[in-house]
Amino acid sequence: MTALEANFQALFGHKAEVLGQAPGRVNLIGEHIDYSEGFVLPFAIADRTSAVIARNNDGLVRIASQQRRNSIFTIDIIDVKPGSSGEWEKYVLGVIWSLGITNGVDILVDGHVPAGAGLSSSAALECSVAMGLNTLFNLGFSLEELARATQKAENDYVGMPCGIMDQSVSLMAKAGSALLLDCRDLSTESVPFDVAAAGLELLIIDTQAHHALVDGGYAERRASCESVVAKFGISSMRHLTMQVLNERKSEISQSEYLRARHAVSEIQRVKDAVAALRNNDFIELGKLINQSHISLRDDYTVSCIELDIAVDASLAAGALGSRMVGGGFGGSAIALIKVDDIESIKDAIRSAYAAKGFKAPRFFTSLPSAGAEAHRTH
Ligand code: GLA
């Protein structure tokens, strides 16, 4: 029995039945286009969240966390519906609700994806629970169905209008590869991402900044894209070209034009990045990563000063490419760097942050790792 399973038994007085595990992610390129039926190229990081789960006969959902072990959140299973109580537990309750579970369950979560760093700790939590429940109740859902169910949990239960990228990559990632995901039908292709063989490393820089705009700003950007699509009478940004956008510019507002320009150009950059990776052309990949950042900063306006300083400092210190990742307004940036430059680039970013009086950044690196899994524990 693992330590986590032993803790489960000590806490709930019976044995765990399943273990689900799911990773966080970084996104190489393809930002803010998952909800526009675009293409994205994320990979799973090594850090994972685990959930051990068993049925109970009390008709209750009990949720505990290895990180806060002295409290157990308890709710009647019939009260598990949007608007219920709960804080972080809502990510778990949302999955129980969207999968249609009606039996009581006890759940102990062990989260190892840094929270608040823009590395999708929430998707890791949702997907670990979804994988565990799928196994526990023999639900037989495919990974695509689990991705849709976990996105629904976050959209309709937690109230965050996220796209489908984070949950999909957490569920479907393959070790050693980035995942080219078509966000319309969730079809995937593995794109080998062997930075180490090229003497490179992907540095993840957690700015430790979290701006209040995070939720409203995300929803506002998404609404702009939906408004352009409605005005143009198309089904998604995927069907827009730069030529049509420019010809019909007068039909939309200036800010809608800029948001659409990001979406159209970013979808193309993802395709170009896949071609660059297939040619082992990391110089070209670096350029595309830089263009993505400029577009997110200037057209989509979801960057912030801490992200821009991290990007500028890493480029000035020799990175091949650098950009913000995830929703923006804080969180993390990535920098594609030569392995030998790692310490000097970290120092350059630390000094730039100190000069501005910002909180010190945190650094991570991770190779592309495997997606979620689940198995019975006895
Ligand atoms: C957040 C959302 C994703 C995606 C990114 C931006 O991580 O959860 O669905 O929209 O922002 O690319």
Side-chain angles (χ1 to χ4, degrees):
M1 193 188 290
T2 64
L4 191 61
E5 288 162 35
N7 287 336
F8 180 98
Q9 190 161 358
L11 213 52
F12 295 116
H14 57 111
K15 280 189 177 164
E17 294 182 85
V18 294
L19 166 70
Q21 288 194 311
R25 64 99 188 91
V26 289
N27 188 14
L28 262 185
I29 196 157
E31 216 65 86
H32 277 281
I33 48 167
D34 59 345
Y35 49 77
S36 293
E37 294 193 336
F39 295 86
V40 294
L41 192 61
F43 67 81
I45 57 174
D47 299 307
R48 313 185 132 228
T49 289
S50 303
V52 282
I53 313 177
R55 287 164 292 180
N56 65 48
N57 295 321
D58 311 326
L60 296 175
V61 174
R62 281 187 285 254
I63 305 171
S65 154
Q66 186 73 353
Q67 279 69 38
R68 306 166 204 204
R69 274 182 43 209
N70 28 19
S71 75
I72 299 182
F73 176 91
T74 304
I75 184 170
D76 202 306
I77 187 83
I78 57 168
D79 294 327
V80 177
K81 41 182 179 265
S84 78
S85 59
E87 290 170 21
W88 66 270
E89 296 89 354
K90 281 190 176 174
Y91 293 94
V92 177
L93 297 173
V95 174
I96 293 172
W97 168 76
S98 71
L99 291 180
I101 306 297
T102 53
N103 201 100
V105 279
D106 295 329
I107 303 182
L108 174 60
V109 165
D110 188 14
H112 288 278
V113 180
L119 299 176
S120 289
S121 58
S122 49
L125 173 57
E126 292 154 1
C127 295
S128 64
V129 172
M131 287 292 283
L133 292 173
N134 200 33
T135 299
L136 179 61
F137 292 105
N138 294 313
L139 301 174
F141 288 124
S142 66
L143 296 180
E144 291 77 10
E145 287 167 329
L146 290 179
R148 302 242 185 246
T150 45
Q151 182 198 20
K152 184 175 165 64
E154 191 152 341
N155 288 173
D156 299 345
Y157 206 103
V158 180
M160 157 66 183
C162 66
I164 193 107
M165 167 172 74
D166 304 343
Q167 292 81 4
S168 299
V169 64
S170 181
L171 290 162
M172 301 175 202
K174 299 272 186 300
S177 297
L179 187 78
L180 175 62
L181 174 75
D182 179 337
C183 298
R184 181 167 62 182
D185 63 8
L186 301 190
S187 59
T188 62
E189 231 178 278
S190 285
V191 181
F193 182 56
D194 194 355
V195 271
L200 302 174
E201 180 101 72
L202 195 80
L203 179 65
I204 303 167
I205 308 143
D206 174 10
T207 64
Q208 303 233 57
H210 310 285
H211 291 287
L213 261 174
V214 177
D215 291 344
Y218 186 94
E220 191 267 334
R221 300 307 183 282
R222 193 174 170 157
S224 286
C225 291
E226 284 160 5
S227 169
V228 172
V229 159
K231 287 180 183 171
F232 284 175
I234 53 177
S235 60
S236 75
M237 287 294 188
R238 181 193 186 109
H239 301 287
L240 192 58
T241 61
M242 214 47 105
Q243 192 188 341
V244 171
L245 175 62
N246 285 323
E247 281 165 9
R248 301 184 67 179
K249 192 174 173 187
S250 61
E251 296 170 42
I252 55 178
S253 72
Q254 173 64 9
S255 98
E256 285 171 343
Y257 172 75
L258 294 175
R259 308 299 186 239
R261 189 165 73 175
H262 167 73
V264 174
S265 64
E266 186 77 352
I267 290 175
Q268 186 58 46
R269 279 187 289 273
V270 174
K271 293 179 181 167
D272 294 346
V274 170
L277 273 178
R278 294 210 190 283
N279 291 331
N280 253 321
D281 188 346
F282 287 99
I283 302 287
E284 179 63 16
L285 179 68
K287 285 185 192 155
L288 293 162
I289 287 175
N290 290 337
Q291 288 163 13
S292 172
H293 184 72
I294 292 167
S295 180
L296 287 159
R297 184 191 66 195
D298 299 345
D299 281 2
Y300 222 67
T301 61
V302 288
S303 190
C304 62
I305 180 79
E306 292 87 349
L307 285 165
D308 292 342
I309 298 257
V311 166
D312 292 346
S314 51
L315 289 176
L320 280 70
S322 182
R323 68 176 199 87
M324 56 155 280
V325 288
F329 310 111
S332 291
I334 53 170
L336 184 62
I337 63 174
K338 298 196 185 90
V339 171
D340 294 343
D341 290 347
I342 188 160
E343 290 311 322
S344 58
I345 291 185
K346 283 185 190 173
D347 284 345
I349 301 168
R350 279 194 203 102
S351 310
Y353 268 46
K356 289 275 177 193
F358 297 160
K359 191 172 175 186
R362 291 190 295 176
F363 297 102
F364 308 95
T365 56
S366 178
L367 294 174
S369 303
E373 64 99 24
H375 59 261
R376 291 195 176 269
T377 51
H378 76 271

